[in-house]
Amino acid sequence: MAGGPVLSSGTDSPRVAELDRALDTIGVTRSHHTIIFLILIGCLFDSFEQNAVGIVGPMLKEQWGLTASDIGLLNTVTFACAAVGRIVSGYIADRFGRRVMLTIDLLLFTLGAGVCAMAPNLTVMAIGRAIVGFGLGGEIAIAVTMLSEFCSTKFRGTAVGLVNVGAGGLGNFLAPGFGLLVFWLFPGDNAWRWLFACLMVPALLGAFYRRYIPETPRFLLAQGRVKETNAVLSRLASGRLTARNVPQQQYISDDGAAAPKAKVKVRVTEIFRGALARRTIPLCITIWMTYGAQISVLTLMPTILVALGYSMSKSLLFTMVMQGGSLLGAIAASLLGFHFPRKRVLTAGAVCACMAALTIGFVAKSIVVILIAGAVFQFFVLLLNTTIWIFAPELYPTRVRAFGTAFILATGTAAGAFMPLVAGRLFDAFGLVGVFGLAAAMYAVFVISVQSVPETYGKSPDALPLPDDAAPAKPVVAAPQAN
């Protein structure tokens, strides 16, 4: 299917169809480039923040006398609050707008980093990590939702995929280097405080520049705000996102009727009923499998390599080499999102990840084979994770898109907190075979689960049929709510 998708024509609202045509006609402009850049900068430093505890852990252990369990607790607090933050952010974004929640998440991120920088003890540090977690979780979920609603049918998958290029690929790869740079610039016992302080700066800059990011046209149209929808579309088409006097074009027909007094209620249980449930449950299973396998391997790989007889420094270096596959996997997913159906990419990628895990667990006898198979494994893991980020917002109508996407990603975060415990026990009992045998089995479940989710490639996210869903009544012209 090279050359990009063909838009399906099954919209159930004339104005939604007009919006789809408008976004496809506008294509990709400098305004889109600005929006993507600002969102990616935030996601890149989100990734740095997620890795921060691991980077400063040895310093905290020395200064505060912490144990490995204490360091693990800080990560658990971060991931747990990120899961909650994603769900809450998704709900608020569906009620009050994506742009509002994006700004709040950035401010939480900044506040939490500041608390960590000034923390006098473990308790205050844990509070700071909790605040950071809320901001981190919401940031990613809202970012993928917004990009999916700003972009044309052809470019949507690529744009959303770029988020994980910054967050999962480039961010994880560069995080250790960022820490080394800060420690070089600010040596001494307080170097770890400077690390958290430096993480506040890009968040503040992002909060300043992101005031230029408008609300998404899909959300505005879902609220019956046709005039504002046309204004945003005109700014996107002009390529001048910050210009104030952009000539207004009427992409969406406006008969001057007032918007409805009562806004559509966000029913969070809707994603667990009828046809939407048959999207939510299988995708939750798939993301649990891939996130759980990825975080388990990332958490245990240095320990595994040390157990194989390598020094700590070599183990970290080897882990970083394998992480190089992550960046390439995220980039590949972004490119494949333009050309190929989501389910085809997910199925093929999961089969390959399964084979790579089996190779490491049962075949690899030398460090060269482990490094090559590990890099291949990380390539396909990030390919899968990024494609799920592309897939999730396309499965839900606008009225619950942010919450549905956030719930899916929160499930993955929960898997990242729980599955390393299982993998750790298997490593203690069975060694390398136990960890990668588990990973291979999880990707086999992934392949089976994803087959029941409907394909979204080349279709309007507000046009996928929900044949037996107990959805709201047929949308009126003044406030279209596609089902």
Side-chain angles (χ1 to χ4, degrees):
M1 285 195 177
V6 178
L7 179 65
S8 70
S9 58
T11 53
D12 47 12
S13 164
R15 282 182 174 172
V16 171
E18 288 180 328
L19 177 57
D20 291 328
R21 286 194 295 270
L23 289 172
D24 285 347
T25 299
I26 292 169
V28 184
T29 69
R30 289 179 60 187
S31 294
H32 289 93
H33 296 161
T34 301
I35 292 171
I36 293 171
F37 174 76
L38 294 176
I39 288 178
L40 283 184
I41 289 295
C43 292
L44 175 67
F45 281 91
D46 281 357
S47 183
F48 286 180
E49 183 63 75
Q50 289 182 51
N51 286 275
V53 170
I55 294 172
V56 306
M59 295 182 178
L60 295 180
K61 289 176 68 176
E62 181 179 348
Q63 288 190 25
W64 290 352
L66 302 183
T67 66
S69 297
D70 293 329
I71 301 299
L73 173 64
L74 293 176
N75 265 330
T76 299
V77 168
T78 304
F79 277 99
C81 290
V84 176
R86 283 178 173 172
I87 294 174
V88 173
S89 294
Y91 176 78
I92 295 175
D94 281 332
R95 285 290 302 272
F96 303 105
R98 288 65 163 116
R99 187 172 180 269
V100 171
M101 202 60 232
L102 189 69
T103 302
I104 293 174
D105 287 328
L106 274 168
L107 294 177
L108 287 173
F109 176 95
T110 306
L111 174 62
V115 172
C116 291
M118 297 183 292
N121 53 46
L122 178 63
T123 301
V124 177
M125 177 66 76
I127 294 173
R129 297 308 298 173
I131 298 172
V132 166
F134 276 109
L136 289 176
E139 168 98 5
I140 296 296
I142 302 306
V144 299
T145 300
M146 290 190 76
L147 287 181
S148 72
E149 294 184 344
F150 270 123
C151 296
S152 65
T153 308
K154 288 185 177 182
F155 190 63
R156 187 174 63 219
T158 298
V160 176
L162 287 173
V163 174
N164 214 22
V165 173
L170 194 61
N172 286 335
F173 182 72
L174 293 180
F178 176 76
L180 291 174
L181 176 62
V182 173
F183 296 157
W184 177 71
L185 292 174
F186 305 100
D189 293 339
N190 289 322
W192 64 270
R193 297 186 186 275
W194 282 107
L195 178 70
F196 287 115
C198 289
L199 287 171
M200 297 175 63
V201 175
L204 289 172
L205 289 174
F208 175 79
Y209 286 114
R210 285 191 192 186
R211 75 178 190 268
Y212 295 118
I213 298 179
E215 185 55 80
T216 70
R218 288 195 184 276
F219 177 82
L220 292 172
L221 188 61
Q223 300 296 310
R225 295 152 65 178
V226 178
K227 184 177 181 180
E228 293 175 67
T229 304
N230 283 323
V232 171
L233 291 172
S234 298
R235 290 172 65 187
L236 291 176
S238 72
R240 296 175 294 161
L241 197 61
T242 59
R244 295 184 178 182
N245 298 317
V246 176
Q248 300 294 302
Q249 299 186 48
Q250 190 147 328
Y251 292 97
I252 312 298
S253 58
D254 187 1
D255 56 8
K261 295 181 179 180
K263 291 186 177 181
V264 175
K265 293 182 179 180
V266 179
R267 298 177 176 86
V268 296
T269 59
E270 188 177 351
I271 68 170
F272 307 109
R273 299 199 310 264
L276 287 183
R278 290 192 292 277
R279 303 174 185 193
T280 301
I281 296 173
L283 204 58
C284 281
I285 293 173
T286 59
I287 201 170
W288 182 282
M289 295 298 115
T290 186
Y291 267 55
Q294 179 200 21
I295 302 301
S296 296
V297 171
L298 286 179
T299 301
L300 292 175
M301 185 53 72
T303 302
I304 290 172
L305 292 172
V306 169
L308 293 176
Y310 298 97
S311 66
M312 187 63 190
S313 58
K314 282 189 175 180
S315 297
L316 291 175
L317 177 61
F318 291 156
T319 301
M320 188 172 180
V321 170
M322 286 185 274
Q323 273 288 83
S326 300
L327 175 59
L328 297 177
I331 294 173
S334 185
L335 295 175
L336 293 175
F338 184 89
H339 293 289
F340 294 98
R342 317 311 185 206
K343 288 173 64 175
R344 186 182 303 178
V345 174
L346 290 172
T347 301
V351 170
C352 292
C354 180
M355 297 301 294
L358 290 173
T359 300
I360 299 172
F362 296 90
V363 178
K365 301 299 181 182
S366 68
I367 188 60
V368 174
V369 177
I370 291 176
L371 288 179
I372 294 174
V376 171
F377 178 79
Q378 290 298 334
F379 173 90
F380 286 108
V381 165
L382 262 292
L383 173 72
L384 294 171
N385 292 356
T386 305
T387 303
I388 288 178
W389 286 23
I390 296 171
F391 200 19
E394 296 177 342
L395 287 168
Y396 298 98
T398 298
R399 64 180 180 272
V400 291
R401 179 171 298 123
F403 180 75
T405 302
F407 187 86
I408 296 297
L409 299 187
T411 302
T413 303
F418 174 74
M419 291 308 298
L421 301 176
V422 178
R425 289 184 177 274
L426 289 174
F427 178 69
D428 291 337
F430 304 103
L432 204 62
V433 171
V435 175
F436 286 95
L438 173 66
M442 293 175 76
Y443 282 111
V445 174
F446 182 111
V447 171
I448 297 171
S449 180
V450 78
Q451 303 310 313
S452 62
V453 185
E455 182 57 67
T456 60
Y457 177 77
K459 301 175 183 178
S460 167
D462 288 301
L464 292 177
L466 300 174
D468 58 352
D469 184 25
K474 186 177 180 180
V476 295
V477 174
Q481 292 297 319
N483 292 313

